[in-house]
Amino acid sequence: MQPDHRPLTPDCLEAMLQLEQAAHPVPWSRQLLAGCFSERYFSGSLWRGQTLLGFYIADQVLDESTLMNICVTPPCQGQGLGRQLLARYVESAAARHISQLWLEVRESNQAAQRLYLSAGFVEQGRRKAYYRSAQGREDAVIMQKVL
Ligand SMILES: CC(C)(COP(=O)(O)OP(=O)(O)OC[C@H]1O[C@@H](n2cnc3c(N)ncnc32)[C@H](O)[C@@H]1OP(=O)(O)O)[C@@H](O)C(=O)NCCC(=O)NCCS
């Protein structure tokens, strides 16, 4: 059964929080997630029935967007859902007349970097020792895609 794409709404918050905590080593708080329903943000999500499988959250400032969060529930990772979500993000951004997409990813997050590279993002720079990590600090890799 193909998952359904739906926009995120405040009713999704509990499911988002659970997925966020399962998928990310340093998850966003409930408050941070709840802040992403304002005008400045747009989002998408994948569901199977009542189960949230993945979501993305992005912001828009003029003709630029930053992908703030993308995650897939761990039992469903590696099945193409992250790629589907990212493709939806790019489509939604294009429909909003956005011309540049930006994101930041941990240097150690090779799975996400491969996904972004295969979707046409390119590395544009690094923020040195930006993230806390188990080893101390690690770089943020800054990636961009021009639409
Ligand atoms: C990153 C994430 C969203 C990818 O979603 P996914 O559904 O697992 O990825 P997909 O199955 O769509 O795979 C798409 C591509 O990503 C890359 N990829 C995914 N998992 C990978 C892994 N474990 N190792 C290496 N590359 C991987 C591959 O390039 C893959 O393409 P391929 O299958 O043709 O080789 C997901 O792993 C996730 O939620 N991770 C935790 C949260 C996170 O790190 N978010 C990104 C923060 S910047």
Side-chain angles (χ1 to χ4, degrees), residues 64-121:
E64 293 192 20
S65 171
T66 300
L67 181 62
M68 313 291 297
N69 195 337
I70 183 166
C71 54
V72 170
T73 189
C76 297
Q77 287 178 7
Q79 298 173 18
L81 300 182
R83 192 181 290 290
Q84 276 189 45
L85 279 169
L86 190 64
R88 283 289 173 131
Y89 165 53
V90 173
E91 278 170 31
S92 298
R96 288 165 169 264
H97 307 291
I98 287 167
S99 60
Q100 290 184 62
L101 308 180
W102 293 91
L103 61 82
E104 289 180 13
V105 54
R106 284 174 183 267
E107 185 182 25
S108 62
N109 194 345
Q110 291 297 318
Q113 283 177 56
R114 279 193 207 169
L115 169 62
Y116 302 142
L117 285 171
S118 70
F121 282 80

Side-chain angles (χ1 to χ4, degrees), residues 6 12 21-22 27-28 57 61 63 67 77 85 110 118 121 133 142-144:
R6 301 181 205 157
C12 306
Q21 289 175 346
W28 284 14
I57 297 169
V61 178
D63 66 341
L67 181 62
Q77 287 178 7
L85 279 169
Q110 291 297 318
S118 70
F121 282 80
S133 74
I142 301 170
M143 302 183 86
Q144 181 198 33

